[in-house]
Amino acid sequence: MKNSEIKALSLEELKEKLNTEHTTMQNLRFAHAISPLENPMKIRETKKSIARLNTEIRRREIEANS
């Protein structure tokens, strides 16, 4: 997910997407522990997506408090 797409989402949508990404990450890690994933880069992409979502949520919190 690109930053431009993330910035277009509302706060509720961001939190919902964050929960979805956390679930996806957990499933990928479990699947990778059992047998190697076909595309292990998915784990890295998901981690970065979670970080982007958290950054945008935090940026909006700071912006709202200022």
Side-chain angles (χ1 to χ4, degrees):
M1 183 169 241
K2 295 185 178 182
N3 283 336
S4 59
E5 296 171 352
I6 291 173
K7 289 180 181 181
L9 298 174
S10 70
L11 188 59
E12 281 73 31
E13 290 173 327
L14 284 172
K15 290 181 180 181
E16 183 179 313
K17 185 71 175 164
L18 183 63
N19 286 335
T20 304
E21 290 293 322
H22 274 296
T23 305
T24 302
M25 183 68 179
Q26 187 177 22
N27 290 338
L28 285 172
R29 282 188 175 162
F30 285 149
H32 190 62
I34 294 170
S35 65
L37 291 175
E38 194 170 304
N39 185 3
M41 293 299 288
K42 281 278 194 196
I43 295 173
R44 184 181 296 176
E45 291 171 10
T46 305
K47 281 170 59 175
K48 287 186 177 187
S49 181
I50 290 170
R52 286 187 191 106
L53 290 166
N54 280 327
T55 301
E56 183 62 23
I57 290 170
R58 181 68 180 140
R59 186 187 68 77
R60 291 186 187 186
E61 285 176 2
I62 291 171
E63 198 173 87
N65 291 334
S66 296

